[in-house]
Amino acid sequence: MFKNFKVVGSVAAPFTPFHSNGDINYDKFGEYVEYLTNHHFQYAFVNGTLAEGMSMTLEERKKVAEAWMKASKGKLKIILHVGTSNIKDSQELAKHASTLGVEAIASLCPSFFKPANEEILVDCMCDIASAAPNVPFFYYCINFVTGIYLNPSKFLSLAKERIPNLVGLKHSSRELPNAYNCTLVDPKRFQVLMGTDSQFLPYFTLGIDVPVTAPYMGTLFYKLKTAYDTGDVKTAEAIQARIFELNNIRGDYGAGVEIAKAMFGIISGIDIGPVRLPITRLTVDKFNMLKKDLTAFGPAE
């Protein structure tokens, strides 16, 4: 159905802007879109992990999707994450997405009760994808979060005939050999998106070149990809090292969503507010230490 569908460029995984009381700040989306487009992003992966989509109500997720679509019109293409803790809610979000004109949808699998094997995983994704049959669908593989340690390439092989609108997967799991094996299943049909905030150059060597990444990585990724594509290996390696350095700062403070969100606020100058429980907010002291380290790092470009 979507044999010519491909994501080209880079995909931001934006954080959801919240007010200090935890309500969504709908006034920030226009400014947010401008930042992303100015930092070389062509797409936004909305309501995903960094966005705390799983900590939002269905109604909030619908309104946020609508807000991103309105602010992004003609500027960014939207890939909308519809994964939830149950299939029925994901189907509702998928149906809503199909009315918005999104570029694609994606879903992780419900994971409180986990699929026992790849066949059941296909059943779950088939039920979700079929709720929006005319929208390209990506499986969102993030095993260290969901605890679903199944073979993603086997999933693609089994799903080929079951899910007509399946166009690939977002591989945020950390096993690079699994990502590579996914590229071998049906290269003309399935695209593997790299869900990483740092391992860009290693993925390039596997033929995977479209990231879904934290929004503060946009310019660094663009320069890395430009150097790589022009054969400037030394420059590409130097930029990759700088990317690792920036990611290491996040790691020094625990690497959580709350750290990445604070980093984006510091780097971009856009106040996108705090995180929601059960993720905990940074203390003032920790925030100031993080800001000091990022200042020492210099511009993320």
Side-chain angles (χ1 to χ4, degrees), residues 10-178:
S10 57
V11 186
F15 308 91
T16 302
F18 294 128
H19 289 292
S20 59
N21 65 356
D23 291 343
I24 295 167
N25 186 349
Y26 290 100
D27 294 331
K28 289 291 181 180
F29 289 97
E31 182 181 9
Y32 217 146
V33 168
E34 290 302 317
Y35 178 88
L36 296 180
T37 56
N38 289 338
H39 289 78
H40 307 285
F41 287 109
Q42 292 77 39
Y43 300 79
F45 186 87
V46 168
N47 289 344
T49 302
L50 292 184
E52 300 174 79
M54 300 295 282
S55 294
M56 295 157 59
T57 68
L58 288 186
E59 191 59 30
E60 285 178 326
R61 288 179 65 165
K62 290 177 183 178
K63 288 182 178 179
V64 166
E66 291 165 6
W68 274 109
M69 287 298 294
K70 181 179 179 181
S72 300
K73 191 172 183 179
K75 299 176 182 178
L76 281 175
K77 297 177 181 179
I78 300 300
I79 302 172
L80 185 61
H81 177 238
V82 301
T84 67
S85 61
N86 67 87
I87 289 172
K88 290 295 185 183
D89 282 351
S90 293
Q91 289 175 322
E92 182 176 336
L93 291 177
K95 289 176 183 177
H96 177 256
S98 69
T99 69
L100 300 179
V102 298
E103 186 75 0
I105 59 174
S107 184
L108 47 70
C109 185
S111 59
F112 186 86
F113 299 109
K114 297 173 175 49
N117 52 48
E118 289 81 4
E119 288 81 2
I120 299 174
L121 176 61
V122 172
D123 289 341
C124 294
M125 294 298 101
C126 184
D127 280 358
I128 296 170
S130 64
N134 296 315
V135 182
F137 177 82
F138 286 97
Y139 168 50
Y140 182 7
C141 180
I142 183 167
N143 59 21
F144 64 94
V145 172
T146 63
I148 299 173
Y149 286 89
L150 297 175
N151 185 334
S153 60
K154 183 176 180 181
F155 162 80
L156 290 176
S157 296
L158 293 171
K160 281 181 64 173
E161 305 304 324
R162 293 280 312 280
I163 308 177
N165 55 333
L166 180 66
V167 294
L169 58 79
K170 175 179 181 281
H171 192 276
S172 295
S173 303
R174 292 163 177 161
E175 300 86 1
L176 289 184
N178 282 352

Side-chain angles (χ1 to χ4, degrees), residues 168-301:
L169 58 79
K170 175 179 181 281
H171 192 276
S172 295
S173 303
R174 292 163 177 161
E175 300 86 1
L176 289 184
N178 282 352
Y180 175 69
N181 289 337
C182 288
T183 68
L184 304 178
V185 176
D186 190 340
K188 292 183 178 180
R189 174 177 172 183
F190 293 139
Q191 182 177 19
V192 179
L193 307 179
M194 53 170 142
T196 179
D197 296 324
S198 62
Q199 293 182 311
F200 304 127
L201 201 52
Y203 269 102
F204 288 171
T205 66
L206 303 178
I208 301 170
D209 63 356
V210 177
V212 183
T213 191
Y216 52 76
M217 285 293 186
T219 297
L220 283 169
F221 174 82
Y222 173 78
K223 290 183 175 179
L224 171 64
K225 184 68 163 56
T226 300
Y228 182 83
D229 287 346
T230 58
D232 188 349
V233 176
K234 288 187 176 180
T235 298
E237 289 175 344
I239 297 171
Q240 178 63 75
R242 187 156 172 78
I243 288 168
F244 279 138
E245 183 183 349
L246 180 57
N247 201 56
N248 286 342
I249 293 174
R250 176 180 172 183
D252 289 343
Y253 290 88
V257 172
E258 74 281 9
I259 304 301
K261 189 170 190 178
M263 289 174 65
F264 175 70
I266 294 167
I267 292 170
S268 69
I270 302 174
D271 181 7
I272 53 171
V275 290
R276 282 183 172 178
L277 286 171
I279 303 174
T280 55
R281 303 183 183 193
L282 269 66
T283 64
V284 173
D285 286 346
K286 195 170 187 179
F287 178 86
N288 288 336
M289 291 170 62
L290 176 62
K291 186 174 183 178
K292 182 180 179 181
D293 285 348
L294 290 174
T295 301
F297 175 82
E301 56 188 44

